[in-house]
Amino acid sequence: MLDKELPMIHSKRLPITLPGGEKESCQDDSACCEAEKTLARLYGDQRLARERCLQVCTQVKKIDEDELAAEIKVFKAVADVTRLKILKLLSGGELCICEIMLALKRPQSSISHNLSILEDAGLVKERKEGKWCRYRISDGAVIDMVSLAGQFKRK
């Protein structure tokens, strides 16, 4: 069966009581019913299909579109070589644009543009000091994220 043959699950929900008495909700439309039927054919077990369909519907319900947009902004920000290099430089401490320019051998306009993207994603913060702007990592989690990304490649 091709992926395009699988029905889409939309956002209408119907309350269902799970084993243990807790209430959960599932999709109340033909697409969900079709998804459950498709899973039943694939698994060969109606009970397992209903359980898995409910689990998927529950996960879909937990996805917050605004949070997702913010996460996408972060991943797009770090998906550029120059911006990732800037984050690695800033992990050593606060730097001004001129220091970042010298380290990366890039023009001021390029560094400013990349810093504004990182700042918009919430990864770096700016501090004005007279006519100078100094940048730093906004949170220790940013350093952890960059370090963690390097570990995926090694595994």
Side-chain angles (χ1 to χ4, degrees), residues 22-138:
E22 57 198 51
K23 289 250 181 186
E24 190 50 73
S25 63
C26 187
Q27 313 294 335
D28 178 30
D29 61 29
S30 60
C32 184
C33 294
E34 287 302 313
E36 189 176 321
K37 287 177 190 173
T38 301
L39 288 175
R41 282 194 311 272
L42 291 171
Y43 292 137
D45 181 347
Q46 182 66 40
R47 185 195 58 77
L48 178 60
R50 181 143 187 83
E51 183 181 307
R52 298 299 294 164
C53 188
L54 179 60
Q55 183 178 10
V56 170
C57 291
T58 302
Q59 290 303 109
V60 166
K61 183 174 63 173
K62 290 179 183 178
I63 296 173
D64 178 342
E65 293 297 322
D66 292 335
E67 190 176 304
L68 199 59
E71 291 165 335
I72 288 169
K73 190 180 274 193
V74 168
F75 284 112
K76 282 183 177 179
V78 296
D80 177 82
V81 173
T82 302
R83 291 191 286 270
L84 194 54
K85 285 179 181 179
I86 290 171
L87 288 175
K88 288 182 178 261
L89 282 172
L90 293 176
S91 68
E94 194 175 69
L95 296 172
C96 73
I97 290 181
C98 59
E99 294 165 329
I100 298 170
M101 286 171 38
L102 291 172
L104 299 181
K105 297 179 177 83
R106 303 281 304 206
Q108 184 270 332
S109 59
S110 171
I111 299 300
S112 291
H113 172 71
N114 285 296
L115 281 167
S116 70
I117 292 170
L118 290 169
E119 192 173 14
D120 187 47
L123 300 173
V124 299
K125 289 194 177 185
E126 174 188 31
R127 180 177 64 85
K128 299 240 187 232
E129 189 176 273
K131 65 178 183 172
W132 302 97
C133 291
R134 299 184 124 342
Y135 289 87
R136 69 183 187 284
I137 299 269
S138 64

